[in-house]
């Protein structure tokens, strides 16, 4: 199975900050990587797929990149609605594993 | 717009069975693969199973293989998760999600609101 790790596990930031979350796959997954945002008590919201393609309706302040088996999600200019937990998921091969999540909260 | 509505959750004793349903609307259900993803209370997301658009290809996490079965009824626009021999570790909110493609092997691009299953005596 492909293992997904995320760093940091939690992050405190302020409105207006730029933050980066990293996701690492235990083996090559090409660009079969998605990002999700989840707020407490709500379903996950798809943000991005193919490592860097924004889901329809997601603002361009979210961006993604890949370097080998390392993937990053960057959020520029944080707004109050961006404070949430973020998950990556590989869909290269079954089982389609998620990372453990990164909790982003307000400083 | 895409809408996915899960139902069937509740409290069930260990070893018993339960069937979850997910009714889809706003898209051509028979053209898309579908997923079930679960989340234990206070924990992260766990992909459980997925199915191709025509129901022929099914994929499972090892943790549920042989106990949970995914199926679909395309004329009824409904996805199912038959759960048997339930264990305490199956306690979670179960989300139905649409696959980006018809294979059930891409990423879940639309999600329902979830239904909570609690396995407890």
């Amino acid at each position: 199975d492909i293992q997904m790790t995320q760093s940091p596990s939690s992050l405190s930031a302020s409105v207006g900050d730029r933050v980066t979350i990293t996701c690492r796959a235990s083996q090559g997954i090409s660009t079969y990587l998605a990002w999700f945002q989840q707020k407490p008590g709500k379903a996950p919201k798809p943000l991005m797929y193919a490592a860097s393609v924004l889901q329809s309706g997601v603002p361009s302040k979210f961006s993604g990149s890949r370097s080998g088996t390392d993937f990053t999600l960057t959020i520029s200019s944080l707004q109050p609605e961006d404070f949430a937990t973020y998950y990556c998921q590989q869909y290269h091969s079954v089982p389609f594993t998620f990372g453990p999540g990164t909790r982003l909260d307000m400083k | 717009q895409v809408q996915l509505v899960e139902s069937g959750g509740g409290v069930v004793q260990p070893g018993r069975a339960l069937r979850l349903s997910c009714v889809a609307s706003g898209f051509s259900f028979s053209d898309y693969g579908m997923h079930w993803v679960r989340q234990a209370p206070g924990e992260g997301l766990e992909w459980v199973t997925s199915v191709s658009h025509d129901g022929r290809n099914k994929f499972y996490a090892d943790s549920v293989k042989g106990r949970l079965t995914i199926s679909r009824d395309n004329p009824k626009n409904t996805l199912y998760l038959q759960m048997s021999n339930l264990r305490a570790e199956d306690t979670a909110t179960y989300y139905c999600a649409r696959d980006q493609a018809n294979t059930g092997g891409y990423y879940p691009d639309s999600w329902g609101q979830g239904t909570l299953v609690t396995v407890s005596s």
Side-chain angles (χ1 to χ4, degrees):
Chain A
D1 296 0
I2 297 173
Q3 309 303 318
M4 306 299 293
T5 57
Q6 286 184 236
S7 60
S9 58
S10 64
L11 176 60
S12 293
S14 301
V15 172
D17 284 354
R18 175 187 175 96
V19 298
T20 297
I21 298 168
T22 298
C23 175
R24 175 172 289 173
S26 62
Q27 60 191 76
I29 59 169
S30 184
T31 57
Y32 294 101
L33 190 283
W35 289 98
F36 300 88
Q37 176 195 69
Q38 188 180 33
K39 296 180 180 179
K42 300 294 187 182
K45 173 186 175 183
L47 292 178
M48 201 175 302
Y49 62 96
S52 62
V53 180
L54 287 178
Q55 177 80 9
S56 175
V58 173
S60 58
K61 64 180 174 181
F62 292 92
S63 62
S65 66
R66 170 204 175 197
S67 177
T69 58
D70 290 344
F71 299 83
T72 59
L73 170 70
T74 299
I75 312 170
S76 63
S77 189
L78 278 172
Q79 296 303 304
E81 63 269 20
D82 300 329
F83 293 96
T85 299
Y86 291 85
Y87 295 93
C88 60
Q89 184 205 19
Q90 66 82 17
Y91 52 100
H92 177 273
S93 54
V94 172
F96 302 131
T97 40
F98 286 88
T102 294
R103 179 175 170 172
L104 173 60
D105 52 29
M106 199 176 297
K107 190 182 292 182
Chain B
Q1 72 281 17
V2 174
Q3 192 166 11
L4 300 165
V5 179
E6 303 95 334
S7 62
V11 181
V12 60
Q13 293 179 328
R16 303 298 291 265
L18 197 65
R19 188 178 79 162
L20 306 183
S21 300
C22 169
V23 176
S25 60
F27 67 102
S28 179
F29 181 70
S30 61
D31 287 342
Y32 289 86
M34 297 294 294
H35 299 261
W36 288 100
V37 177
R38 69 183 180 184
Q39 186 170 36
E43 302 295 324
L45 300 169
E46 180 188 16
W47 175 84
V48 175
T49 179
S50 64
V51 62
S52 59
H53 70 105
D54 57 5
R56 292 183 182 180
N57 296 304
K58 302 177 182 182
F59 310 94
Y60 295 95
D62 286 345
S63 58
V64 306
K65 210 171 284 185
R67 299 187 304 113
L68 274 59
T69 303
I70 191 170
S71 63
R72 63 190 297 158
D73 186 335
N74 284 345
K76 292 184 177 179
N77 288 344
T78 302
L79 177 74
Y80 300 102
L81 184 64
Q82 180 67 47
M83 312 170 74
S84 62
N85 190 19
L86 282 163
R87 305 168 179 167
E89 54 264 36
D90 295 317
T91 295
T93 296
Y94 286 75
Y95 295 101
C96 160
R98 187 185 77 169
D99 190 49
Q100 187 186 28
N102 63 4
T103 62
Y106 277 75
Y107 103 107
D109 70 355
S110 296
W111 295 59
Q113 84 290 348
T115 187
L116 177 62
V117 173
T118 302
V119 183
S120 173
S121 54

